[in-house]
Amino acid sequence: MTISNTVQLASVRVITEDLPRLLRFYEVVTGVTAQYLTDDFVELVTPSATFALSAPGRVAFITENTPRAAANASAIVEFLVGDVEALFARLQAEYGDDLEVVQAPAMMPWGNLSALIRDPDGALINLYTPMTPQARRLQGDRQPQMLP
């Protein structure tokens, strides 16, 4: 008998000391209105996965190596977007000089147009749109798929 274990990425959660500020940023990025599960835990449900935010109190029960807000230096959160230039312009209009741009939209060797920014807590965010036939084929072989 073969046992199958299907695993799907369901959610990523970020811990923050300033929930309203970080939530507003990710609502602009995703275009999704947050669903509050409690006053200190929210979810942004996108077509491919859920992006959650919570205050440190939600994970206080973890007593060893407790997750800390604004302490990430090892991960990049990547968002597949329909038009990276339009979203980048919207973020610039919304945040002005407060938007930390690591790399303005630039073409990657594999055909994605990519912009790297930091969220208000300093996490690295990649916004990308497959532009070339090769990049669209590559994305077509994965999840999430580009929405029409």
Side-chain angles (χ1 to χ4, degrees):
M1 176 176 166
T2 303
I3 297 175
S4 174
N5 181 13
T6 302
V7 177
Q8 296 178 325
L9 179 62
S11 177
V12 172
R13 186 186 334 173
V14 173
I15 307 302
T16 182
E17 294 285 350
D18 191 341
L19 188 60
R21 177 183 68 152
L22 204 58
L23 175 58
R24 176 66 188 136
F25 176 83
Y26 283 107
E27 283 182 325
V28 173
V29 166
T30 64
V32 173
T33 300
Q35 298 176 13
Y36 278 81
L37 302 182
T38 65
D39 63 344
D40 63 352
F41 184 91
V42 298
E43 292 184 333
L44 296 136
V45 179
T46 75
S48 59
T50 297
F51 193 81
L53 301 165
S54 71
R58 268 297 133 204
V59 292
F61 66 92
I62 303 172
T63 57
E64 291 187 35
N65 297 318
T66 305
R68 294 182 330 265
N72 175 19
S74 65
I76 302 172
V77 179
E78 298 189 310
F79 291 94
L80 171 64
V81 301
D83 185 340
V84 71
E85 290 176 317
L87 179 54
F88 185 75
R90 181 168 180 216
L91 287 162
Q92 285 183 309
E94 179 88 15
Y95 289 96
D97 292 339
D98 290 335
L99 181 67
E100 186 176 342
V101 178
V102 176
Q103 171 189 282
M107 186 62 71
M108 299 293 100
W110 48 90
N112 286 343
L113 187 61
S114 174
L116 289 171
I117 58 175
R118 291 199 183 272
D119 76 10
D121 279 359
L124 193 56
I125 308 301
N126 180 29
L127 309 171
Y128 75 95
T129 302
M131 300 298 286
T132 66
Q134 174 189 355
R136 286 191 288 276
R137 254 190 327 277
L138 181 63
Q139 192 65 48
D141 291 338
R142 338 180 140 145
Q143 294 296 327
Q145 299 287 318
M146 286 295 296
L147 296 174

